[in-house]
């Protein structure tokens, strides 16, 4: 791994660990900006919207720059490819997701000019719209930003 | 989360944490069978083959039952959807992957008859076939087995 | 063909033949459990739901085991890939489907431990939501179960 | 079904039935032009090429018209979507296919001006490149031609 | 380029140029039938429907022949692959499109028997459902017809 | 269109017009950096590589920053989605492409902080690996950069 900060791994851990389990990583988290949230739905629209709103409300991205919304949007879509594994469009497929998500922004590379990047991670369950008829799912998307 | 054992989360942690970071999870790992490995390639064939070989050599799946190979194969493909995010076929896309993988087999559900399931996780880098021109990538696939 | 029972072929025949045409295969059908039904819609949700309901009502799968719902669900999705040929999501694409479906459960392999598998077949028409503006479509999905 | 001739169903039957099983359909087959063949490979190129060669050698399509090659090519690709179920590119996925195929050309619709259409069907096995580690697979593609 | 008329290029130019910019191509446009229109939506259904309606109202295709609707439909879908770049289903992805479209029908090939072909082009913007949060997008689909 | 410079449209025109046809747009081209080239292959690798090499050799992107390679790479992939229309992987599909490409870098938005963006356009033919058995194809990808 040639990166000084693994923003993807940090996003994955925030999305999936309990507060106690996350404790040992608290120092690494000081090097990045991040936020987290929850979303559950049969609609991809609501999932995307929940992440975008959280990113803006917590100042992880600038609300005024399309550039940053564009970078985040593609990171979300890539993360959803992992969550949905080839079939984006949960509701239409009779699947419902219950997800925790994390958004991490930082400078992963040594070289200063590589600038800032953003990672989006989802962890939770996917399954039939009936409690218990579900299994774990995970997704990670990464993009350059700023 | 209605599962008693989160085989997907465990697979993710094995694939992405350092031995020290994994230490606090050692007790949870006693409830499952698992193995891990590394693979780096521009060819999806080699990645799939590395995971299948590792699973059989470590007796995570039975070499003699097509049923188990079938279950593992689809878990690998689903994990690769997360790694490749919509474009399976690394070499053809001029991308190379350097991945650690973990295979976890266990009984995630309370109800005995839900039986065994298998999780495959990948964590590493994806990028141009030049060192440093890469970012993190992750994928998780889950299937019923046995 | 190394299988003793071709559950996929039987599912295809049940879905597409008339009762008279199916007559010569009646003996082969005694070796498997199966059911059939009809569904027509612009929504993939309704198609998936019709197959799942039929499978449970006819005791082809156990209503209480997520494991079996999971196996069936992926067999349905694979069959729909054939029906939709790359564009799952009928309604959103202005296409409507009129389908007969068959679900077949059996033990295709000689080796006892290969256990039970499930096949889902669709046959019917796909086209514009206007009668006659349509052509035939077919799909088959197969998974291990039980 | 509003069609007078079901070229898709006929293609499916030719590809999957034994000569004895196909016997009752011999009269229906007199209304269409068709040919059949076999192909086994880890490469989609070889599968596509086998079908194209067979179609031209048996005069199902005109070798000299790009128009007809274009119509056949898309029917083949659609049929392969069913065979591969979302992951076209067998070799790269460590899967091998053993397929019988049928190409049927005819006039399915009552209305004369609807003209000729072509159906391509595959039936066989898909699996690991080891005998027995495989299950059935099927695909059907249909296009207007001529 | 071995074609005598580039219907795809003409469709692209009609969809994206201003009337002034299109002026130098007016002579080439005399060799084809074409129409144009506008559509803006978060729903692929409405986009497809707008193009089909325009093609029929302007007599680019025959309303009575399924054959021609089928040819047009697949040309539209192919063009939308370029517009959506892998994620057809705009609304579900929280993306809205504002598009100009052009439909061109002509005989691109020297050889008379190659007959007529149809091209569909889209040009416009895709983005978040907020004015300005968008970038350009383009798509072209081509099929044989008639 | 809320953009002051349409880098996507310019890329499209450079890739598809003759020098004479492009003449009226020469003034608009002064506001952007661009280069163009040709590539023909059955391999997506070679197409991607040709564009990347051209972009670096003509200083459209910095050879030393992964950030810029990453931005260009995703713009190329998006453009190839339009070219291949759902089936990236030309050679494996028995299709060969002959393409002209254009890479345009500029500042499309009024707001200064939206910064630079990059557009990649392809125009040419796709078809069987036989001269003449081919039709036009086009693709456009856009990304933020710098």
């Amino acid at each position: 791994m040639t990166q000084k900060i693994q923003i993807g791994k940090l996003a994955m851990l925030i999305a999936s660990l309990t507060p106690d389990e996350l404790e040992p990583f608290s120092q690494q988290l000081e090097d990045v900006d991040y936020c987290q949230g929850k979303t559950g739905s049969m609609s991809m629209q609501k999932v995307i919207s929940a992440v975008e709103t959280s990113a803006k409300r917590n100042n992880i991205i600038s609300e005024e720059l399309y550039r940053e919304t564009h970078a985040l949007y593609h990171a979300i879509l890539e993360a959803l490819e992992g969550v949905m594994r080839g079939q984006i469009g949960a509701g239409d497929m009779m699947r419902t997701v219950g997800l925790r998500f994390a958004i991490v922004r930082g400078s992963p590379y040594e070289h200063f000019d590589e600038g800032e990047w953003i990672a989006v991670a989802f962890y939770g369950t996917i399954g039939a719209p009936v409690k218990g008829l579900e299994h774990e799912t995970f997704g990670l998307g990464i993009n350059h930003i700023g």
Side-chain angles (χ1 to χ4, degrees), chain A:
Chain A
M1 187 65 63
T2 58
Q3 301 178 205
K4 68 176 178 184
I5 302 177
Q6 289 156 291
I7 59 171
K9 178 175 162 183
L10 289 175
M12 286 160 49
L13 296 175
I14 297 166
S16 61
L17 297 190
T18 65
D20 279 1
E21 290 169 342
L22 195 59
E23 180 59 32
F25 301 93
S26 53
Q27 205 173 344
Q28 288 182 50
L29 289 173
E30 285 173 18
D31 296 330
V32 295
D33 287 322
Y34 70 96
C35 69
Q36 55 185 304
K38 276 190 187 187
T39 177
S41 178
M42 287 185 80
S43 144
M44 282 303 99
Q45 277 194 44
K46 284 190 192 151
V47 173
I48 294 170
S49 189
V51 179
E52 289 186 339
T53 301
S54 175
K56 287 174 180 172
R57 197 164 292 165
N58 293 282
N59 298 312
I60 305 298
I61 71 164
S62 159
E63 202 156 350
E64 276 150 49
L65 286 179
Y66 170 50
R67 184 182 187 77
E68 303 216 338
T69 296
H70 183 255
L72 175 64
Y73 178 78
H74 282 275
I76 296 171
L77 271 202
E78 294 203 352
L80 286 175
E81 293 270 2
V83 169
M84 305 305 297
R85 286 146 296 127
Q87 303 300 346
I88 286 187
D92 211 44
M93 295 296 108
M94 284 288 289
R95 288 195 281 187
T96 191
V97 290
L99 298 169
R100 285 170 59 194
F101 62 82
I103 314 164
V104 173
R105 181 176 180 151
S107 300
Y109 300 93
E110 291 287 353
H111 191 330
F112 177 78
D113 289 341
E114 292 295 3
E116 286 184 305
W117 293 63
I118 198 159
V120 173
F122 291 105
Y123 173 71
T125 55
I126 188 166
V130 176
K131 190 159 183 62
L133 303 197
E134 63 203 12
H135 61 64
E136 293 166 277
T137 190
F138 199 94
L140 175 66
I142 286 185
N143 208 354
H144 62 287
I145 197 170

